[in-house]
Amino acid sequence: MDKKKISIISSIVVIAIAVMFLVYSLQYSFVGIIGPGPGVMPFCLSLILLVLSVSYLITALRGKDSIGSMPDKKGLFSILMILVYMAIYVVLLKPLGSVLAGIVFLFLLYRNSYRWYTALGISAIVSVFLFVVFRVLLEVNLPVNALGF
Amino acid sequence: MIESLMSLMGGFATALTPMNLLFCLAGVSMGMFVGVLPGLGPVAGTALLIPMTYGMEPVTAIIMLAGIFYGAMYGGTITSVLINTPGEGASVITCIDGYQMARQGRAGQALGVAAIGSFVGGVVAIVCLTFLGPAIADIALGFGPPEFFSLMMFGLLLVVGLMGKSVVKGLIAAVLGVLLSEIGIDSGSGMDRFLFGQIELLDGIDFVVLAMGLFGISEILLNMEDVSKVAVPARVEKMIPPREEWKPTLSAIARGTGIGMVLGLIPGSSASIASLISYSVEKKVAKDPSRFGHGAIEGVAGPETANNAYSGAALIPLFTLGIPSSPTVAILLGAFIMHGLNPGPLLYQSDPDFIWGVTASMFIGNLLLLIMNLPMANLWAKVALVPYKLLYPIILIVCMIGIYSVGRSLFDVGLLIFFGVIGYLMKKLEVPAAALILAFILGENLEYTMIQTVSMSDAGMLLLFQRPVSCVITILCIIALVISLYTAIKQRRDQLGDE
């Protein structure tokens, strides 16, 4: 996708966000107990955002917007995989407990960089270490499985 | 003045307790660590460690977090000089002459003057904080909602104007930041706003989630496009420069201190700008500017001093007015609020033990950093050799566990991933995330002071022009906005002219 298209799409997304906030802000009162109500500031801001995003769209349509270089297919794939693995960790955290979910997450990331047994070893050591630091030392209530880890 | 000195002595009593000393050491070491590691700047580093401070006393927590902030400025130098890779933005300029010095076998001297300059710049800035802080806070005690509203607007507009290439994109980021801060229960009316059907948003978006996503996760996603190769660091020997270089070095350190101090007080400036200006000044005043780029010692001493003086001075508006001047200071402000502290002029009266304890700890922290940097530079250079492929999964999991520990909610972890993607896209689209986070943190106060300003008189927002201080600041806001827009339009015209 070329840069102009990306700029146009992103400006349309910002316009959509502005409209969404604008519509929502109309639900709130504009008069409060001591002065302006909870709707005033969001309404003004979303209106300003709408004007700004339209100006952004005009710049984008003229092809004058400057944006950074986009990742190649390989880079994009790496980024997507990381996001998928993070989502898997979130899904597994409660049913498996933080140590096992951590091992799975880290192993998925390390398996391409190290041999499988090294990757598994590092994943296990890091997961257990973080469990001890957060659960035992910092007394954070991390999710645990039936076995207590 | 005597009063400040006495208070500072009391601060040392707080800072020198074994626990605070230990966490000061932990903070500056962590700062060195994030400074040395490319791909993990002080903003992400500070945000990353905030969850670990939950159980701590506020003074201990802020001592540690402030240590990360100024420690990172020291750390960034080492990799700039030894492997030509800046660990954080402010050290980019040090690569130019620092790396050349290393290639000439003078790595030790480059690191030596950088460490001494950083120490001088850092300590002078804290001395100013010690004596100027209470005076500014006294003046600010007379400020009401209109003054604070205009001050916050001024800070935000400067950030928008100075950071990022496009004013429109900067303003979009700032407006979005304030809108995001309005999600959840409105403290004024008790009404919930912008929940979008998600009950988890009732308490609003936690700033740690936003900061870690926008700065921490996004940075890793950005690095994933092309994992950088690690270079072999140069050897560090003899750290004191030859006698004939002392005079220009000391002059560069003095100028760097002044430049960093002034810029630290201006919201929207950054340590990188301080280093850059210092480098240009050194090049201008040098008898032989052609040496710059080929290992001029002033090219290392000046900028390194400036970025440390900057980070000390940047705390003055935070402590006295509650106004953050850069993203890292904004994260610190968030940490203050999280620990139940309200930065601003009242802090000097309501919590003197805290404020003087933190100030005193920064003297100790700078001394610890000087020791860490002079004899231990070689050791830190090795840290840069830790492979990124080993490190980034650990950073990711620490982020997620850290966020889970904030609200014990998987929804927050999901939000972290979401803001990580948003932060990545913002970087790609050149929308300044710094403006968003600053606006987010100031958002609630901005609305609160706006409502108070309007309710104070029949003049509404025109009251801003009826009080001398707020009138001057509001006019400055308008000037800042006009200059930013004028510069943007001029740049566009120049581009069209070129075409």
Side-chain angles (χ1 to χ4, degrees):
Chain A
M1 204 189 296
D2 67 20
K3 288 188 176 182
K4 189 178 169 182
K5 263 189 189 163
I6 295 171
S7 291
I8 293 171
I9 293 172
S10 46
S11 60
I12 292 171
V13 170
V14 183
I15 290 176
I17 294 171
V19 170
M20 184 177 72
F21 272 101
L22 192 69
V23 171
Y24 265 82
S25 66
L26 292 172
Q27 300 172 9
Y28 313 124
S29 165
F30 278 44
V31 184
I33 306 160
I34 58 159
V40 175
M41 186 96 159
F43 177 76
C44 296
L45 286 172
S46 36
L47 213 56
I48 295 171
L49 187 62
L50 190 61
V51 173
L52 289 167
S53 51
V54 170
S55 151
Y56 180 23
L57 176 66
I58 294 169
T59 316
L61 284 171
R62 283 182 181 165
K64 301 284 175 228
D65 184 33
S66 124
I67 61 171
S69 59
M70 290 296 143
D72 56 14
K73 272 188 181 165
K74 200 180 152 208
L76 196 64
F77 182 73
S78 310
I79 291 168
L80 283 176
M81 286 325 287
I82 287 186
L83 294 173
V84 170
Y85 296 156
M86 287 173 88
I88 291 176
Y89 177 73
V90 175
V91 173
L92 293 182
L93 196 57
K94 282 211 165 142
L96 287 190
S98 57
V99 173
L100 288 180
I103 292 175
V104 172
F105 172 71
L106 291 170
F107 179 74
L108 287 169
L109 288 170
Y110 282 135
R111 78 200 157 105
N112 290 331
S113 315
Y114 299 96
R115 288 174 196 276
W116 73 267
Y117 45 86
T118 316
L120 194 62
I122 301 172
S123 308
I125 292 167
V126 172
S127 279
V128 172
F129 175 75
L130 289 176
F131 184 76
V132 172
V133 169
F134 277 88
R135 175 104 186 176
V136 182
L137 297 179
L138 297 171
E139 293 172 4
V140 172
N141 208 1
L142 290 178
V144 288
N145 54 27
L147 298 169
F149 57 89
Chain B
M1 194 150 167
I2 300 288
E3 208 176 306
S4 294
L5 264 181
M6 295 303 289
S7 306
L8 185 65
M9 289 303 130
F12 272 106
T14 310
L16 285 170
T17 58
M19 192 55 111
N20 287 341
L21 208 53
L22 179 72
F23 281 101
C24 181
L25 179 67
V28 294
S29 307
M30 200 58 210
M32 282 290 292
F33 192 70
V34 298
V36 165
L37 286 177
L40 189 67
V43 188
T46 314
L48 201 71
L49 287 196
I50 284 179
M52 293 195 184
T53 65
Y54 282 151
M56 293 181 192
E57 287 287 313
V59 66
T60 313
I62 303 299
I63 281 176
M64 185 168 103
L65 294 172
I68 299 171
F69 174 48
Y70 56 83
M73 297 295 155
Y74 280 79
T77 318
I78 294 182
T79 42
S80 296
V81 171
L82 298 183
I83 56 175
N84 201 21
T85 308
E88 40 80 43
S91 297
V92 173
I93 209 85
T94 314
C95 288
I96 304 174
D97 281 284
Y99 185 60
Q100 286 303 322
M101 283 181 76
R103 290 184 67 183
Q104 294 160 13
R106 300 175 65 204
Q109 290 170 14
L111 291 177
V113 295
I116 294 165
S118 300
F119 179 73
V120 173
V123 167
V124 171
I126 306 162
V127 169
C128 287
L129 172 65
T130 306
F131 296 110
L132 276 182
I136 297 175
D138 272 349
I139 297 169
L141 273 177
F143 286 5
E147 285 76 20
F148 276 109
F149 178 79
S150 51
L151 255 178
M152 283 187 272
M153 284 301 290
F154 183 56
L156 266 179
L157 285 172
L158 280 184
V159 171
V160 167
L162 291 173
M163 289 182 166
K165 293 176 185 167
S166 151
V167 182
V168 171
K169 286 182 184 177
L171 286 171
I172 287 178
V175 174
L176 267 177
V178 183
L179 279 173
L180 287 178
S181 76
E182 300 195 327
I183 291 176
I185 292 182
D186 169 37
S187 55
S189 62
M191 194 172 188
D192 58 70
R193 293 185 294 187
F194 305 115
L195 296 189
F196 307 113
Q198 300 293 327
I199 198 77
E200 289 90 344
L201 287 174
L202 208 58
D203 288 335
I205 295 169
D206 199 297
F207 97 97
V208 187
V209 176
L210 190 68
M212 239 189 228
L214 289 182
F215 291 94
I217 303 288
S218 70
E219 200 61 46
I220 290 176
L221 296 180
L222 212 60
N223 288 333
M224 274 303 95
E225 287 179 12
D226 180 24
V227 180
S228 61
K229 294 178 184 76
V230 181
V232 180
R235 276 185 66 78
V236 179
E237 291 160 337
K238 206 175 155 221
M239 303 200 78
I240 305 296
R243 194 174 283 266
E244 64 271 18
E245 283 189 337
W246 284 11
K247 201 181 156 200
T249 305
L250 291 175
S251 308
I253 288 176
R255 282 187 290 269
T257 306
I259 292 167
M261 280 289 311
V262 173
L263 284 168
L265 297 173
I266 303 173
S269 60
S270 69
S272 313
I273 298 176
S275 319
L276 191 68
I277 292 181
S278 165
Y279 189 80
S280 334
V281 168
E282 289 313 317
K283 206 171 167 181
K284 251 188 197 128
V285 300
K287 280 182 190 149
D288 177 16
S290 65
R291 290 186 301 114
F292 281 76
H294 301 99
I297 198 159
E298 305 97 297
V300 177
E304 278 304 316
T305 308
N307 68 35
N308 277 274
Y310 170 89
S311 46
L315 295 176
I316 297 177
L318 174 72
F319 281 15
T320 57
L321 302 169
I323 309 279
S325 53
S326 73
T328 323
V329 181
I331 306 279
L332 273 181
L333 173 62
F336 271 60
I337 296 165
M338 200 191 78
H339 281 281
L341 298 157
N342 199 6
L346 281 174
L347 199 59
Y348 275 89
Q349 292 181 345
S350 63
D351 236 322
D353 286 350
F354 165 81
I355 209 111
W356 292 107
V358 174
T359 308
S361 82
M362 290 195 282
F363 282 102
I364 301 164
N366 270 282
L367 193 65
L368 290 172
L369 284 163
L370 185 69
I371 298 167
M372 274 186 200
N373 277 269
L374 282 177
M376 292 162 68
N378 267 324
L379 191 74
W380 282 107
K382 297 235 162 45
V383 173
L385 297 179
V386 175
Y388 194 68
K389 61 181 182 181
L390 177 70
L391 205 64
Y392 84 85
I394 301 176
I395 298 173
L396 281 175
I397 198 167
V398 169
C399 282
M400 289 193 286
I401 295 179
I403 290 301
Y404 183 83
S405 65
V406 176
R408 299 205 179 111
S409 138
L410 285 178
F411 180 80
D412 282 350
V413 185
L415 264 187
L416 168 81
I417 301 172
F418 173 74
F419 284 121
V421 176
I422 297 291
Y424 172 79
L425 292 174
M426 286 177 84
K427 277 179 183 139
K428 284 286 160 193
L429 297 168
E430 297 180 356
V431 180
L436 192 149
I437 195 87
L438 224 59
F440 178 82
I441 289 173
L442 292 177
E444 193 180 337
N445 257 335
L446 209 61
E447 183 172 19
Y448 190 56
T449 50
M450 185 274 285
I451 291 173
Q452 282 182 318
T453 303
V454 172
S455 351
M456 275 170 75
S457 79
D458 294 335
M461 289 307 278
L462 287 176
L463 183 66
L464 290 175
F465 293 98
Q466 290 172 359
R467 292 165 61 120
V469 177
S470 64
C471 178
V472 171
I473 305 170
T474 309
I475 291 171
L476 286 174
C477 283
I478 296 168
I479 294 173
L481 191 64
V482 169
I483 291 178
S484 305
L485 288 172
Y486 173 75
T487 317
I489 293 167
K490 196 167 172 284
Q491 272 173 356
R492 193 155 299 162
R493 273 196 193 145
D494 290 348
Q495 272 177 7
L496 287 173
D498 290 345
E499 282 164 22

